[in-house]
């Protein structure tokens, strides 16, 4: 038995916001009351802390199989727990990609051997992510995939994507789109504008993203599938998402913390940790996204955790691999926005828990009696400095090193088990 | 020959020259003044001065370029430095050796200067951060080529007297030209006016924000300009679909005899070389007395001597000891 004492419980989905003690037994929340005293229970003193429904990160790259030097399912799950996540979805662009049922089964087996963070694999849309032949969605779903995505690329052939969406709809699988018109992005490595011109880096216009957002929304309407837009980076994409939602289409969207903090002007240093795909956009885009997480256009925030070794990053900007090892900074960056007054605490918790659950169409974690005790405890006032050398992820690639943030996940519980705690 | 000025400590407080962006107007003029002293030395019978005696310079070229490499080599030798040429291709990367590896290996040999040309933007800045030697950017990707801009400014000043208010037209592939970028920045700093000319496909996004005019009409620019700088057209742009044919490009943006009629009598024609005859410039134009391409090459040595000299900077060293 575990007794969490003196915390503030906040569960936006169920309109809970109160101070109370919580008792956890056999993986479930068994009691919530003003004051609980149980003899023999382990006690977690959580005065001035906030107990939230467990956070979910729906966009991560765990690199296994194939690039275990960057991350393994085990190290990724460890990092997830330390970052405050009770469940994560992992993208299929491993080597080989998760484009067949046995790879899915392998991931599920490795995840069972890890620390207990729930791992939800995402399958590829096409074999080898080549954009040609559909994967066996039904068989892969039976092994555990919860969505399909070609993340890292777009399926450029609209005819093939339409069939993929229809087949996904047949099996009620969510389609997650990485939106990039590869003919437009070409050899580009940063956002197009005055800064790409000044820094002499090949440009990617925002249109490379929003054209595909528009196309995929249109195709999802045709195919009747659920569509989720991954890592929205540009204001123009938000226009299409708002319109889709207004039309009542089953379209959701995420953004990543770096698109809420960083912009293309910062690339003057050619710091390869700032290289991401889609690229960092203008300051105006950052402001538009900050508004969109508030007004509901964006349904959740995902880390797009993309660990790399220094060999992929300690090179010239053009040849550096894109991505940020973000799973251990994501929650801190979102909570910091609460402290900056950009979003409310409730909204932040929603974006990290109920929001992602709604996107994936899975039961949301909840703070009600009888629910599984999947819980993230945060300290909204804790000041800390991002130090990649302390990451549990193998990836130390972050542009946030040295950032002073306010707000941090301090404990993570899955089914009542403490996977991480600094209390 | 006048007694050279002594460069005082702290007057040129740079370890590296990676961009025009980093230089102030005053520093640009300091380089040009120093270069004019070195140019006089280049006209003498004995062209060598001992300023960099005992110093080691590495020419690290990841892109083929005989002219720039030779120009730096001669500049270093005239300053009595020892210079080593390393020509590499991006294939070192393919072999698994990164720029970091190469830089660390070379640093173990204790060079004082590393001159780098590389096909990726930002590589000179990157190198300057990982080595203690002075790094000179001899062209990084599409980004900058500061010594080219400095020798261009030198040449303009030499012919036109003053840079402020000078009308400079830069014609051609602005989008992929580090020469254009460095010149735009440099010309802005010395308060010259710049007009960029080319089809929209070769003009990069938002460049008006760099305080330049943009025109699609070569004739308009030619009538306006005191200086016309023609850029080399890389033939690979054709395969990227940036213009339909060389023929049509050259019809619209090539500088030929007909177009010369509109050029001011006292204007000058420049080109960073190597030229594509009958693509961006016709043979008659190269032969025109307003064409100063070879003077640019000559000035390149003096300017590079000046930069090497100033970067070594620290102690009180005069040009001739
Ligand atoms: Zn992606």
């Amino acid at each position: 038995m575990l007794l969490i004492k003196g915390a503030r419980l906040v569960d936006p989905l169920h309109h809970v916001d109160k101070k109370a003690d919580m008792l956890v037994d056999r993986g479930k929340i068994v009691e919530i009351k003003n004051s609980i005293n149980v003899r023999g229970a382990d006690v977690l003193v959580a005065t001035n802390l906030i107990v939230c429904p467990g956070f979910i990160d729906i966009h991560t790259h765990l690199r296994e199989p194939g690039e275990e030097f960057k991350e393994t399912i085990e190290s990724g799950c460890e990092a997830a727990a330390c970052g405050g996540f009770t469940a994560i979805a992992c993208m299929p662009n491993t080597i080989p990609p998760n484009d067949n049922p046995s790879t899915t089964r392998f991931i599920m087996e490795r995840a069972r051997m890890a620390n207990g963070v729930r791992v939800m694999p995402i399958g590829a849309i096409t074999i080898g992510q080549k954009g040609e032949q559909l994967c066996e969605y039904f068989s892969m779903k039976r092994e555990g995939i919860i969505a399909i995505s070609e993340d890292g690329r777009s399926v450029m052939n609209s005819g093939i994507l339409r069939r993929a969406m229809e087949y996904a709809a047949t099996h009620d699988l969510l389609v997650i789109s990485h939106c990039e018109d590869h003919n437009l992005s070409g050899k580009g490595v940063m956002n197009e504008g005055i800064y790409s011109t000044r820094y002499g880096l090949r440009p990617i216009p925002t249109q490379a993203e929003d054209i595909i957002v528009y196309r995929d929304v249109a195709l999802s309407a045709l195919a009747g599938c659920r569509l989720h837009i991954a890592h929205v980076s540009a204001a123009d994409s938000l226009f299409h998402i708002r319109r889709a939602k207004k039309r009542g289409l089953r379209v959701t969207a995420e953004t990543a913390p770096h698109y809420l903090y960083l912009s293309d002007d910062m690339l003057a240093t050619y710091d390869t940790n700032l290289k991401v795909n889609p690229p960092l956009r203008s300051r105006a885009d950052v402001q538009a996204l900050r508004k969109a997480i508030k007004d509901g256009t964006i349904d959740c925030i995902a880390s797009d955790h993309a660990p790399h070794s220094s060999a992929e990053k300690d090179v010239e900007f053009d040849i550096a691999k894109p991505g940020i090892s973000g799973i251990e900074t994501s929650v801190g960056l979102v909570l910091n926005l609460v402290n900056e007054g950009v979003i409310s605490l409730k909204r932040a918790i929603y974006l990290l828990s109920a929001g992602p659950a709604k996107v994936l169409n899975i039961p949301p974690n909840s703070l009600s009696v009888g629910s599984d005790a999947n819980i993230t405890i945060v300290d909204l006032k804790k000041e800390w400095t991002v130090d990649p050398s302390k990451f549990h992820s193998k990836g130390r690639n972050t542009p946030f090193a040295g950032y002073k943030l306010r707000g941090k996940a301090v404990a993570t519980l899955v089914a009542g088990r403490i996977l991480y705690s600094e209390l | 020959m006048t007694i050279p000025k002594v460069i005082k400590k702290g007057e040129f407080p740079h370890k590296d020259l990676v961009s025009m962006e980093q230089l102030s107007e005053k520093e640009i003029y300091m380089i040009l003044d120093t270069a004019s002293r070195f140019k006089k030395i280049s006209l003498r019978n004995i062209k060598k001065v001992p300023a960099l005696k005992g110093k080691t310079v590495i020419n690290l070229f990841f892109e083929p370029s005989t002219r720039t490499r030779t120009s730096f080599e001669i500049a270093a030798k005239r300053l009595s430095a020892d210079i080593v040429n390393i020509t590499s291709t991006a294939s070192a990367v393919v072999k698994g050796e990164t720029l970091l590896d190469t830089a660390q290996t070379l640093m173990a040999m204790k060079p004082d200067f590393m001159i780098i040309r590389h096909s990726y933007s930002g590589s000179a800045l990157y190198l300057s951060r990982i080595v203690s030697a002075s790094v000179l950017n001899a062209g990084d990707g599409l980004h900058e080529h500061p010594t080219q801009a400095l020798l261009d400014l030198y040449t303009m000043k030499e012919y036109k007297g003053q840079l402020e208010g000078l009308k400079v037209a830069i014609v051609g592939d602005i989008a992929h030209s580090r020469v254009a970028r460095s010149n735009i920045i440099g010309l802005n700093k010395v308060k010259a006016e710049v007009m960029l000319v080319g089809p929209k496909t070769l003009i990069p996004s938002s460049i008006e924000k760099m305080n330049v005019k943009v025109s699609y009409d070569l004739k308009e620019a030619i009538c306006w300009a005191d200086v016309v700088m023609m850029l080399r057209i890389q033939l690979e742009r054709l395969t990227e679909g940036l213009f339909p044919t060389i023929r049509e490009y050259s019809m619209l943006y090539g500088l030929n005899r007909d177009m010369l009629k509109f050029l001011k009598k006292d204007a000058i024609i420049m080109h960073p070389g190597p030229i594509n005859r009958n693509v961006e410039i016709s043979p008659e134009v190269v032969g025109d007395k307003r064409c100063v391409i070879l003077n640019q090459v000559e000035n390149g040595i003096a300017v590079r001597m000046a930069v090497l000299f100033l970067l070594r900077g620290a102690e009180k060293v005069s040009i001739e000891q």
Side-chain angles (χ1 to χ4, degrees):
Chain A
M1 271 193 293
L2 177 70
L3 177 60
I4 302 170
K5 274 204 85 74
R8 174 176 166 200
L9 314 184
V10 183
D11 180 355
L13 196 65
H14 301 99
H15 309 287
V16 173
D17 186 350
K18 62 177 178 200
K19 265 213 161 124
D21 291 355
M22 175 187 278
L23 187 66
V24 173
D25 190 25
R26 272 167 249 163
K28 304 265 185 203
I29 299 171
V30 292
E31 194 178 2
I32 294 175
K33 253 192 358 204
N34 268 344
S35 180
I36 305 176
N37 289 298
V38 182
R39 205 169 297 203
D42 294 327
V43 178
L44 245 176
V45 180
T47 325
N48 298 322
L49 302 180
I50 298 161
V51 168
C52 315
F55 294 163
I56 302 167
D57 189 347
I58 67 164
H59 192 146
T60 70
H61 298 269
L62 297 182
R63 306 300 187 205
E64 187 179 356
E67 291 181 299
E68 291 82 357
F69 63 98
K70 294 185 181 181
E71 195 82 288
T72 59
I73 290 168
E74 188 187 1
S75 67
C77 285
E78 201 59 47
C82 299
F85 294 104
T86 58
I88 56 179
C90 57
M91 283 296 178
N93 59 338
T94 45
I95 306 171
N98 182 12
D99 62 1
N100 63 81
S102 44
T103 303
T104 307
R105 185 183 307 166
F106 168 81
I107 294 168
M108 294 302 282
E109 272 166 18
R110 300 291 293 168
R112 265 192 291 280
M113 291 153 64
N115 63 353
V117 166
R118 178 177 175 197
V119 174
M120 302 172 285
I122 296 165
I125 295 177
T126 63
I127 301 292
Q129 299 189 291
K130 289 197 173 76
E132 291 159 7
Q133 192 191 339
L134 306 193
C135 302
E136 296 177 328
Y137 304 154
F138 168 74
S139 309
M140 290 165 76
K141 187 179 178 186
R142 212 165 45 177
E143 294 296 340
I145 65 166
I146 41 105
I148 53 169
S149 177
E150 211 83 316
D151 190 42
R153 312 190 45 76
S154 277
V155 176
M156 283 306 292
N157 184 323
S158 305
I160 288 170
L161 185 60
R162 173 201 175 166
R163 298 308 176 200
M165 285 176 162
E166 287 173 341
Y167 197 65
T170 309
H171 300 290
D172 191 29
L173 265 175
L174 172 71
V175 177
I176 301 178
S177 278
H178 165 114
C179 296
E180 176 179 359
D181 183 324
H182 295 277
N183 297 317
L184 262 179
S185 57
K187 292 186 203 157
V189 293
M190 76 169 284
N191 186 41
E192 177 161 336
I194 178 61
Y195 296 105
S196 62
T197 292
R198 276 182 49 189
Y199 307 153
L201 289 170
R202 290 179 192 272
I204 303 173
T206 53
Q207 283 76 4
E209 178 173 301
D210 81 66
I211 285 172
I212 299 295
V213 172
Y214 173 77
R215 181 200 70 166
D216 287 8
V217 166
L219 286 176
S220 76
L222 176 65
C225 76
R226 285 187 287 131
L227 175 70
H228 176 68
I229 307 295
H231 44 52
V232 175
S233 70
D236 289 342
S237 304
L238 296 169
F239 170 81
H240 300 303
I241 295 162
R242 287 192 180 108
R243 192 166 156 268
K245 290 189 166 185
K246 214 175 239 169
R247 283 172 65 192
L249 298 175
R250 290 183 296 169
V251 172
T252 54
E254 89 202 11
T255 190
H258 39 278
Y259 301 116
L260 299 167
Y261 280 87
L262 310 172
S263 49
D264 57 357
D265 51 302
M266 297 177 177
L267 288 165
T269 58
Y270 298 88
D271 178 357
T272 54
N273 284 323
L274 292 166
K275 185 174 178 179
V276 281
N277 186 17
L280 300 177
R281 304 293 185 182
S282 71
R283 286 177 184 221
D285 289 299
V286 171
Q287 289 315 315
L289 283 164
R290 284 183 166 210
K291 196 167 156 267
I293 55 170
K294 201 169 162 178
D295 70 17
T297 310
I298 297 285
D299 300 273
C300 70
I301 294 176
S303 69
D304 196 1
H305 177 64
H308 286 293
S309 80
S310 64
E312 281 82 27
K313 285 292 191 182
D314 222 344
V315 293
E316 300 89 313
F317 196 87
D318 279 87
I319 54 174
K321 292 270 170 66
I324 291 173
S325 176
I327 206 162
E328 286 166 84
T329 49
S330 197
V331 169
L333 288 162
V334 174
L335 295 175
N336 192 62
L337 289 177
V338 176
N339 284 311
E340 281 184 13
V342 176
I343 45 172
S344 67
L345 175 67
K346 267 191 195 163
R347 184 67 193 160
I349 294 171
Y350 179 89
L351 288 164
L352 291 166
S353 61
K358 186 190 100 185
V359 168
L360 295 178
N361 201 23
I362 56 173
N365 291 323
S366 138
L367 297 186
S368 20
V369 171
S371 303
D372 288 337
N374 299 327
I375 289 166
T376 303
I377 303 178
V378 306
D379 182 344
L380 189 59
K381 299 296 166 204
K382 184 177 176 116
E383 292 188 18
W384 62 293
T385 304
V386 178
D387 178 0
S389 72
K390 300 217 170 91
F391 280 2
H392 297 78
S393 165
K394 292 190 184 184
R396 304 289 155 90
N397 48 300
T398 175
F400 294 109
Y403 269 57
K404 288 192 182 8
L405 299 177
R406 232 172 142 213
K408 192 177 189 304
V410 290
T412 309
L413 280 73
V414 174
R417 261 181 58 221
I418 301 173
L419 301 190
Y420 175 74
S421 170
E422 46 191 81
L423 301 176
Chain B
M1 170 100 209
T2 51
I3 304 296
K5 220 168 68 176
V6 167
I7 306 299
K8 288 193 223 75
K9 197 168 184 150
E11 252 189 316
F12 194 80
H14 299 281
K15 168 180 153 301
D16 316 288
L17 179 65
V18 297
S19 63
M20 290 301 288
E21 196 79 65
Q22 76 180 68
L23 296 176
S24 68
E25 183 183 12
K26 189 167 157 250
E27 288 163 346
I28 290 172
Y29 280 112
M30 189 190 296
I31 294 169
L32 303 188
D33 285 349
T34 311
S36 72
R37 293 163 206 279
F38 281 121
K39 186 167 179 183
K40 285 178 195 138
I41 289 171
S42 296
L43 297 172
R44 298 189 317 202
N45 205 1
I46 308 278
K47 300 180 173 60
K48 225 168 178 161
V49 292
L52 293 190
K53 200 165 172 152
K55 302 281 175 188
T56 306
V57 180
I58 295 179
N59 247 342
L60 183 55
F61 276 58
F62 291 93
E63 265 184 354
S65 155
T66 322
R67 332 174 120 241
T68 308
R69 205 199 63 217
T70 311
S71 180
F72 269 111
E73 190 172 345
I74 291 175
K77 284 184 169 162
R78 287 193 181 157
L79 292 168
S80 305
D82 300 311
I83 181 153
V84 184
N85 285 309
I86 297 175
T87 317
S88 186
T89 52
S91 69
V93 176
V94 180
K95 276 185 286 174
E97 189 178 50
T98 62
L99 182 54
L100 179 66
D101 297 329
T102 307
Q104 285 171 343
T105 307
L106 293 175
M107 264 326 280
M109 303 177 192
K110 306 281 182 280
D112 301 285
F113 294 91
M114 289 171 80
I115 297 163
I116 181 175
R117 163 156 300 187
H118 200 294
S119 49
Y120 295 133
S121 301
S123 47
L125 180 65
Y126 175 71
L127 183 68
S128 75
R129 290 195 174 150
I130 54 183
V131 301
S132 55
S134 281
V135 171
L136 268 90
N137 182 4
D140 65 322
L142 314 178
H143 180 224
E144 282 226 42
H145 189 357
T147 57
Q148 178 71 42
L150 289 164
L151 76 88
D152 289 339
L153 291 174
Y154 185 95
T155 308
M156 290 177 213
K157 187 163 175 278
E158 186 172 57
Y159 282 88
K160 304 299 300 178
Q162 76 166 21
L163 296 171
E164 190 174 340
L166 201 63
K167 294 183 166 69
V168 182
I170 306 178
V171 184
D173 186 1
I174 312 295
H176 301 91
S177 174
R178 52 198 174 206
V179 175
R181 271 181 189 70
S182 284
N183 264 294
I184 292 166
I185 296 162
L187 288 164
N188 260 318
K189 293 199 174 183
V190 299
K191 305 180 186 76
E193 288 179 54
V194 181
M195 185 186 285
L196 306 176
V197 191
K200 193 156 194 176
T201 46
L202 299 180
I203 306 281
S205 167
S206 311
I207 196 143
E208 329 72 61
K209 291 184 188 157
M210 290 179 82
N211 189 30
V212 294
K213 296 188 190 66
V214 173
S215 172
Y216 305 138
D217 179 10
L218 180 60
K219 192 177 148 191
E220 176 196 13
I222 296 290
C223 296
W224 170 85
D226 301 314
V227 176
V228 178
M229 185 183 296
M230 304 302 294
L231 298 175
R232 179 179 167 82
I233 279 291
Q234 304 281 353
L235 300 178
E236 70 192 78
R237 302 297 165 232
L238 193 59
T239 56
E240 290 171 16
L242 295 172
F243 49 85
T245 57
I246 293 288
R247 178 177 162 273
E248 186 156 305
Y249 178 83
S250 143
M251 209 190 295
L252 292 169
Y253 299 105
L255 188 57
N256 54 33
R257 199 184 326 187
D258 293 342
M259 204 46 91
L260 269 191
K261 287 187 296 207
F262 302 105
L263 184 65
K264 290 178 192 164
K265 290 274 172 296
D266 61 346
I268 57 170
I269 301 162
M270 302 174 74
H271 191 298
I275 57 174
N276 290 310
R277 269 171 223 268
N278 289 325
V279 179
E280 69 264 0
I281 198 161
S282 68
E284 310 86 75
V285 175
V286 178
D288 191 276
K289 61 182 193 320
R290 287 167 288 186
C291 180
V292 299
I293 297 177
L294 294 177
N295 308 72
Q296 288 174 266
V297 176
E298 183 188 348
N299 293 337
I301 293 173
V303 163
R304 289 176 176 124
M305 286 172 81
V307 171
L308 283 164
F309 177 79
L310 289 170
L311 285 178
R312 165 213 175 184
E315 318 95 89
K316 289 186 178 176
V317 179
S318 68
I319 289 175
E320 291 181 282
Q321 277 159 333

